[in-house]
Amino acid sequence: MVTFDQFKAMALGLPQTHEEPTWEEVTLRLGKKIFAMGRPESPSVCVKASKEDQAELLAAAPEVYSMAPYVGRHGWVLVDLERVDPDELHDLVTDAWRSVAPKKLLRDFDAE
């Protein structure tokens, strides 16, 4: 099980990430680009993914992952915090961050 605060800490631990309340949710951003979001009281969070990764996640663990409302058609995944493996969620959050990061920041991040 992962708490919302642990999820948020995973995201905020990535370079240049900040949180911003939007649509009554906490959005986690790199610059103006959102890569993850959720509500502290909700049992699930939403993470940006490619459509291919989304399909793989939904097929592999439908009890953990589902298509996110509104943004699912763009690849976003709804993640059940009570069922997700913490290391897997960390990887998903990092991949989501990488999908919006500028190339120079990615080079610096990968060099560390």
Side-chain angles (χ1 to χ4, degrees):
M1 180 179 167
V2 178
T3 67
F4 181 81
D5 288 337
Q6 290 169 322
F7 159 75
K8 191 167 79 168
M10 288 175 191
L12 293 174
L14 295 164
Q16 300 181 20
T17 299
H18 68 281
E19 66 177 280
E20 188 175 314
T22 307
W23 310 302
E24 299 178 11
E25 292 192 72
V26 174
T27 60
L28 297 154
R29 299 170 181 243
L30 177 59
K32 293 184 178 187
K33 296 180 179 179
I34 301 170
F35 65 91
M37 61 185 149
R39 294 182 178 162
E41 68 279 0
S42 177
S44 58
V45 293
C46 195
V47 178
K48 183 177 176 76
S50 69
K51 289 182 182 181
E52 296 79 17
D53 288 345
Q54 178 194 56
E56 288 178 19
L57 290 166
L58 271 61
E63 69 282 359
V64 178
Y65 304 105
S66 58
M67 189 175 290
Y70 309 109
V71 292
R73 69 180 190 269
H74 301 293
W76 285 72
V77 177
L78 196 62
V79 182
D80 185 328
L81 291 174
E82 293 181 3
R83 296 181 178 194
V84 70
D85 176 83
D87 292 333
E88 191 166 304
L89 180 58
H90 185 271
D91 290 346
L92 288 172
V93 169
T94 302
D95 288 346
W97 175 85
R98 292 178 71 84
S99 74
V100 299
K103 290 178 185 177
K104 182 181 181 336
L105 182 57
L106 285 176
R107 282 193 304 271
D108 293 346
F109 181 74
D110 290 339
E112 290 179 11

